Every structure is written in C-alpha cells, then in structure tokens.
Amino acid sequence: MQKDIYERIISFLLGASWAIVLFGALITFKFFIMLGTVLAIFVTLLYIILALFLILTLDAFMVNKERLKEAKKQTELLEKIYAKHTK
C-alpha cells in the first residue's frame, strides 16, 4: 500500500519520538541523579509523561487522517446511491 507524504512524515516522527523518549529519559535520569534518586525518578517520570502525551498527539493526527479518508469514501458511496435512486 502506497503511503502519501503526510503519512510518511508522521510515521517518521513517531519513530523518532520513541527514540527521544528512551534516550531523553536516560539522560534526564543521569542528569538529576546527583540531586537525589527520588527527585531523579520523579523528574524522569514527568519527562516520560510529557513525551508520551506528545506521541499521543502525533498518533491522533494519523487517526484523524484515516477518519477523513474513510469519510470521503462513504460520501462518495452515498452520492452514487443517491444519484442512482433519483434518476
């Protein structure tokens, strides 16, 4: 199945976002570990939650694109049915 440029960009951004979450969590933890383990874990969890929210936003773009595509197909079918019954 051929993907359009929009889907390719979103897929790339989703993959890159997961990499940023993993490496960013590790870097955040290592940066804050000198201030205490509890604080480092807390800040890392906050970072992960924020990053996952942004990933969820990207996924919502993909879902809305699919919903729009399906709505266009349904509209086309309904127009054909309407045209067939009004003749």
Side-chain angles (χ1 to χ4, degrees):
M1 186 168 105
Q2 188 68 20
K3 290 184 176 180
D4 64 347
I5 190 73
Y6 179 81
E7 290 174 350
R8 287 182 183 189
I9 290 172
I10 295 295
S11 295
F12 173 76
L13 289 175
L14 280 171
S17 297
W18 279 108
I20 289 170
V21 168
L22 292 175
F23 289 120
L26 179 66
I27 291 169
T28 303
F29 183 77
K30 285 189 175 194
F31 183 75
F32 283 97
I33 194 72
M34 65 184 150
L35 299 175
T37 307
V38 175
L39 180 65
I41 291 172
F42 178 73
V43 171
T44 304
L45 285 176
L46 252 89
Y47 172 80
I48 290 172
I49 290 169
L50 177 66
L52 289 178
F53 177 74
L54 294 174
I55 289 174
L56 183 63
T57 304
L58 282 174
D59 195 38
F61 284 132
M62 185 91 81
V63 169
N64 284 334
K65 176 75 172 179
E66 290 295 321
R67 186 183 305 159
L68 178 63
K69 190 187 317 182
E70 288 299 319
K72 285 181 179 180
K73 285 180 188 177
Q74 290 175 5
T75 303
E76 183 179 325
L77 285 173
L78 287 172
E79 287 174 349
K80 285 180 183 179
I81 292 170
Y82 179 75
K84 186 177 183 180
H85 285 290
T86 56
K87 286 184 178 177

